[in-house]
Amino acid sequence: GSVLAFETGDVRLSQRLVDALQLFKLTVSFGSCNSLAELPCLLSHASIPAEKRTLPADLVRLSVGIEDARDLVEDLRRAFRVALSDAPDVRAVPATPVTPLGEFGAEGDDQATVSSSGAAPETPLSDLDA
């Protein structure tokens, strides 16, 4: 499968995002047919002093496994919504049922909204920098 990495701009957001994932499982290293998530600076590179690390502290790495791509995309969308919410424990937020792709609309669900805080306006996922 593919491996991708991105920064969220905030270590806490990266942690909440990975904690909120349900199909991607947290791991220290990749090498599975299942989809996996890693926070290198908190896991595999944690023993390296922060001032000597060359990786961004908020870096999230994902390894895409054999699960249905639509399910993985929905898991990521849900995890971003939950991570950006005011939920105190992102692991306690119940899963939403997977919606068949055809129900999202012609161009997909790129207009789904997230609330980054109680006072912040809702932002389309397509407008997020992270």
Side-chain angles (χ1 to χ4, degrees):
S2 298
V3 174
L4 62 117
F6 58 91
E7 298 172 56
T8 64
D10 180 62
V11 174
R12 182 173 176 271
L13 176 58
S14 293
Q15 290 174 321
R16 287 175 57 84
L17 173 69
V18 169
D19 286 345
L21 289 168
Q22 295 179 338
L23 293 179
F24 288 86
K25 301 302 179 193
L26 185 63
T27 187
V28 174
S29 63
F30 295 145
S32 173
C33 62
N34 298 323
S35 293
L36 304 169
E38 179 191 22
L39 295 167
C41 289
L42 298 177
L43 297 170
S44 60
H45 292 70
S47 64
I48 301 170
E51 63 275 1
K52 292 186 178 184
R53 278 189 226 132
T54 58
L55 298 173
D58 64 328
L59 186 70
V60 175
R61 289 185 4 167
L62 300 175
S63 173
V64 179
I66 61 172
E67 299 88 353
D68 188 288
R70 294 170 291 195
D71 293 343
L72 296 174
V73 168
E74 183 58 28
D75 190 36
L76 285 166
R77 286 183 178 156
R78 182 197 161 283
F80 269 108
R81 283 185 201 109
V82 172
L84 290 166
S85 77
D86 293 328
D89 182 2
V90 296
R91 293 179 190 146
V93 177
T96 54
V98 175
T99 305
L101 190 59
E103 294 182 27
F104 286 127
E107 296 298 323
D109 192 17
D110 61 351
Q111 294 304 309
T113 57
V114 289
S115 176
S116 58
S117 72
E122 292 194 344
T123 306
L125 289 175
S126 58
D127 293 346
L128 293 176
D129 291 328

